[in-house]
Amino acid sequence: MLDVCQTPRHYPRLRGANIKTFDPDKPLWTCPKCGRRFISRNLWHACGDYSVEGFLHGKGPRARELFQGFEELIAACGPYEVAPAKTRVAFMGRVRFAGVQTVSERGMTVAFALPRPVPHPRIRKVEEIIPGWFGHTMRVTSPEELDDELLGWLRESYRQMGMQGRLRKI
């Protein structure tokens, strides 16, 4: 059963003067309904019983190979949690920093956040997701594309976004 917590997103807290009082070492809050963890109480999310296996249900061996290869890159960044949702699987340190949006036998669409736009032919789309933070979307069609270049972007995303390194500089 899908239950949507209705509290609005707290992005404004990351934009204004309150950012100087934000503590990136504060323990994460856990939703009592679904057990998902967040940086503050009652952030908007869809509660549900989601899993990686559910996300990959019905997918073929190539799709599973791509997903596994991406997760291996995530693991090379540091300790992480898997945060599956109905339509995607996100990866988080303290917060979500990367994810798999779609996966099929033809390829996989992945995304990650960086504090700067990366103009690169491999990246299909860059959009500012919150002021000063850019979501990058790319398509991966073969295991060979899960390479050191992508790992570098993921490591930066993990440090700056996932582990909230951007807040530690203040």
Side-chain angles (χ1 to χ4, degrees):
M1 180 172 162
L2 181 66
D3 179 30
V4 178
C5 295
Q6 295 297 324
T7 305
R9 295 180 187 265
H10 289 237
Y11 291 147
R13 291 182 61 190
L14 297 177
R15 283 184 246 181
N18 289 343
I19 195 168
K20 292 183 180 183
T21 62
F22 187 82
D23 181 4
D25 296 317
K26 180 181 173 185
L28 298 176
W29 175 78
T30 302
C31 174
K33 292 180 182 176
C34 67
R36 297 184 74 187
R37 298 175 351 125
F38 299 93
I39 58 172
S40 67
R41 293 179 53 82
N42 300 321
L43 286 177
W44 183 94
H45 67 284
C47 291
D49 186 21
Y50 304 114
S51 67
V52 171
E53 194 51 46
F55 179 74
L56 295 175
H57 179 74
K59 308 295 185 198
R62 182 175 172 84
R64 288 173 178 270
E65 177 186 19
L66 289 172
F67 183 90
Q68 181 180 353
F70 187 74
E71 188 168 3
E72 288 171 6
L73 291 181
I74 296 294
C77 296
Y80 70 98
E81 289 184 33
V82 180
K86 184 176 181 180
T87 59
R88 60 152 172 79
V89 173
F91 298 94
M92 61 185 282
R94 283 183 50 81
V95 299
R96 289 162 191 79
F97 67 95
V100 175
Q101 297 175 339
T102 63
V103 64
S104 72
E105 294 299 289
R106 294 186 319 255
M108 175 174 64
T109 302
V110 301
F112 54 90
L114 291 172
R116 60 188 169 79
V118 175
H120 195 281
R122 294 178 68 183
I123 297 174
R124 288 180 150 185
K125 181 179 178 183
V126 177
E127 60 184 331
E128 191 168 35
I129 51 178
I130 57 176
W133 279 93
F134 299 86
H136 297 75
T137 304
M138 63 184 288
R139 187 84 175 146
V140 175
T141 57
S142 73
E144 293 75 32
E145 293 177 83
L146 299 168
D147 58 12
D148 288 342
E149 183 172 52
L150 176 55
L151 177 59
W153 293 326
L154 291 174
R155 281 185 169 153
E156 181 181 357
S157 180
Y158 177 82
R159 284 189 313 272
Q160 294 297 315
M161 180 64 114
M163 297 308 289
Q164 298 181 293
R166 70 197 188 280
L167 299 178
R168 296 176 197 281
K169 294 178 183 177
I170 294 174

Short mmCIF file of all heavy atoms in Angstrom, two decimals, residues 67-89:
data_model
loop_
_atom_site.label_atom_id
_atom_site.label_comp_id
_atom_site.label_asym_id
_atom_site.label_seq_id
_atom_site.Cartn_x
_atom_site.Cartn_y
_atom_site.Cartn_z
N PHE A 67 23.07 -3.06 -13.96
CA PHE A 67 22.73 -2.58 -12.63
C PHE A 67 23.82 -2.98 -11.63
O PHE A 67 24.29 -2.16 -10.83
CB PHE A 67 21.37 -3.12 -12.18
CG PHE A 67 20.95 -2.57 -10.84
CD1 PHE A 67 20.21 -1.40 -10.76
CD2 PHE A 67 21.32 -3.20 -9.66
CE1 PHE A 67 19.84 -0.88 -9.53
CE2 PHE A 67 20.96 -2.69 -8.42
CZ PHE A 67 20.22 -1.52 -8.36
N GLN A 68 24.23 -4.22 -11.66
CA GLN A 68 25.26 -4.70 -10.74
C GLN A 68 26.57 -3.95 -10.94
O GLN A 68 27.25 -3.59 -9.98
CB GLN A 68 25.48 -6.20 -10.91
CG GLN A 68 26.52 -6.75 -9.96
CD GLN A 68 26.73 -8.26 -10.13
OE1 GLN A 68 26.02 -8.93 -10.87
NE2 GLN A 68 27.73 -8.76 -9.44
N GLY A 69 26.93 -3.70 -12.19
CA GLY A 69 28.15 -2.94 -12.46
C GLY A 69 28.09 -1.53 -11.92
O GLY A 69 29.08 -1.02 -11.36
N PHE A 70 26.92 -0.90 -12.03
CA PHE A 70 26.77 0.45 -11.48
C PHE A 70 26.87 0.41 -9.95
O PHE A 70 27.55 1.25 -9.35
CB PHE A 70 25.44 1.07 -11.92
CG PHE A 70 25.28 2.51 -11.53
CD1 PHE A 70 25.97 3.50 -12.20
CD2 PHE A 70 24.46 2.88 -10.48
CE1 PHE A 70 25.84 4.84 -11.85
CE2 PHE A 70 24.31 4.20 -10.12
CZ PHE A 70 25.00 5.19 -10.80
N GLU A 71 26.23 -0.57 -9.34
CA GLU A 71 26.31 -0.67 -7.89
C GLU A 71 27.75 -0.93 -7.43
O GLU A 71 28.15 -0.46 -6.37
CB GLU A 71 25.36 -1.74 -7.34
CG GLU A 71 25.30 -1.71 -5.83
CD GLU A 71 24.19 -2.53 -5.23
OE1 GLU A 71 23.45 -3.22 -5.95
OE2 GLU A 71 24.07 -2.48 -3.99
N GLU A 72 28.53 -1.64 -8.21
CA GLU A 72 29.94 -1.85 -7.86
C GLU A 72 30.71 -0.53 -7.88
O GLU A 72 31.59 -0.30 -7.04
CB GLU A 72 30.58 -2.87 -8.80
CG GLU A 72 30.10 -4.28 -8.53
CD GLU A 72 30.53 -5.29 -9.59
OE1 GLU A 72 31.31 -4.94 -10.50
OE2 GLU A 72 30.07 -6.45 -9.50
N LEU A 73 30.38 0.37 -8.82
CA LEU A 73 31.00 1.69 -8.82
C LEU A 73 30.60 2.47 -7.57
O LEU A 73 31.43 3.13 -6.94
CB LEU A 73 30.60 2.49 -10.07
CG LEU A 73 31.15 2.02 -11.41
CD1 LEU A 73 30.67 2.93 -12.52
CD2 LEU A 73 32.67 1.94 -11.39
N ILE A 74 29.33 2.38 -7.21
CA ILE A 74 28.84 3.05 -5.99
C ILE A 74 29.61 2.53 -4.78
O ILE A 74 30.05 3.30 -3.92
CB ILE A 74 27.32 2.84 -5.82
CG1 ILE A 74 26.53 3.50 -6.97
CG2 ILE A 74 26.85 3.33 -4.46
CD1 ILE A 74 26.59 5.00 -7.02
N ALA A 75 29.79 1.22 -4.69
CA ALA A 75 30.49 0.61 -3.56
C ALA A 75 31.93 1.10 -3.47
O ALA A 75 32.49 1.20 -2.38
CB ALA A 75 30.45 -0.91 -3.67
N ALA A 76 32.53 1.42 -4.60
CA ALA A 76 33.91 1.92 -4.62
C ALA A 76 34.01 3.34 -4.07
O ALA A 76 35.11 3.83 -3.82
CB ALA A 76 34.48 1.86 -6.04
N CYS A 77 32.88 4.01 -3.88
CA CYS A 77 32.87 5.38 -3.36
C CYS A 77 32.98 5.42 -1.84
O CYS A 77 33.48 6.39 -1.28
CB CYS A 77 31.59 6.10 -3.79
SG CYS A 77 31.44 6.31 -5.57
N GLY A 78 32.47 4.40 -1.17
CA GLY A 78 32.46 4.37 0.28
C GLY A 78 31.20 3.69 0.78
O GLY A 78 30.41 3.17 -0.01
N PRO A 79 30.99 3.69 2.10
CA PRO A 79 29.78 3.05 2.65
C PRO A 79 28.52 3.71 2.09
O PRO A 79 28.45 4.94 1.99
CB PRO A 79 29.90 3.30 4.16
CG PRO A 79 31.34 3.59 4.40
CD PRO A 79 31.85 4.23 3.14
N TYR A 80 27.54 2.90 1.75
CA TYR A 80 26.33 3.43 1.14
C TYR A 80 25.13 2.58 1.54
O TYR A 80 25.27 1.48 2.03
CB TYR A 80 26.45 3.46 -0.39
CG TYR A 80 26.44 2.09 -1.02
CD1 TYR A 80 25.27 1.57 -1.57
CD2 TYR A 80 27.58 1.30 -1.06
CE1 TYR A 80 25.25 0.30 -2.14
CE2 TYR A 80 27.57 0.04 -1.62
CZ TYR A 80 26.40 -0.46 -2.17
OH TYR A 80 26.39 -1.71 -2.72
N GLU A 81 23.96 3.13 1.32
CA GLU A 81 22.70 2.41 1.49
C GLU A 81 21.97 2.43 0.16
O GLU A 81 22.10 3.39 -0.62
CB GLU A 81 21.82 3.08 2.53
CG GLU A 81 22.33 2.94 3.94
CD GLU A 81 21.36 3.52 4.96
OE1 GLU A 81 20.13 3.47 4.73
OE2 GLU A 81 21.85 4.04 5.97
N VAL A 82 21.20 1.40 -0.07
CA VAL A 82 20.34 1.35 -1.25
C VAL A 82 18.98 1.85 -0.82
O VAL A 82 18.46 1.45 0.22
CB VAL A 82 20.24 -0.10 -1.79
CG1 VAL A 82 19.35 -0.15 -3.01
CG2 VAL A 82 21.63 -0.63 -2.11
N ALA A 83 18.40 2.76 -1.61
CA ALA A 83 17.10 3.35 -1.30
C ALA A 83 16.15 3.13 -2.47
O ALA A 83 15.93 4.02 -3.28
CB ALA A 83 17.26 4.83 -0.99
N PRO A 84 15.59 1.93 -2.59
CA PRO A 84 14.69 1.66 -3.71
C PRO A 84 13.35 2.38 -3.53
O PRO A 84 12.87 2.55 -2.41
CB PRO A 84 14.51 0.14 -3.67
CG PRO A 84 14.88 -0.29 -2.30
CD PRO A 84 15.79 0.76 -1.74
N ALA A 85 12.79 2.79 -4.64
CA ALA A 85 11.46 3.39 -4.67
C ALA A 85 10.67 2.67 -5.76
O ALA A 85 11.17 1.71 -6.36
CB ALA A 85 11.57 4.89 -4.96
N LYS A 86 9.48 3.14 -6.01
CA LYS A 86 8.62 2.46 -6.98
C LYS A 86 9.22 2.47 -8.39
O LYS A 86 9.18 1.47 -9.10
CB LYS A 86 7.25 3.11 -7.00
CG LYS A 86 6.25 2.43 -7.91
CD LYS A 86 4.90 3.06 -7.83
CE LYS A 86 3.92 2.34 -8.73
NZ LYS A 86 2.59 2.95 -8.66
N THR A 87 9.81 3.59 -8.79
CA THR A 87 10.25 3.74 -10.18
C THR A 87 11.76 3.89 -10.36
O THR A 87 12.22 4.11 -11.48
CB THR A 87 9.58 4.96 -10.83
OG1 THR A 87 9.92 6.13 -10.07
CG2 THR A 87 8.07 4.79 -10.86
N ARG A 88 12.53 3.80 -9.29
CA ARG A 88 13.97 3.96 -9.40
C ARG A 88 14.64 3.37 -8.18
O ARG A 88 13.99 3.05 -7.19
CB ARG A 88 14.36 5.43 -9.52
CG ARG A 88 13.88 6.21 -8.30
CD ARG A 88 14.73 7.41 -8.00
NE ARG A 88 14.17 8.25 -6.97
CZ ARG A 88 14.23 7.99 -5.66
NH1 ARG A 88 14.82 6.93 -5.22
NH2 ARG A 88 13.71 8.82 -4.78
N VAL A 89 15.97 3.25 -8.25
CA VAL A 89 16.76 2.84 -7.10
C VAL A 89 17.81 3.93 -6.88
O VAL A 89 18.62 4.21 -7.76
CB VAL A 89 17.45 1.47 -7.32
CG1 VAL A 89 18.39 1.16 -6.16
CG2 VAL A 89 16.41 0.37 -7.48
#
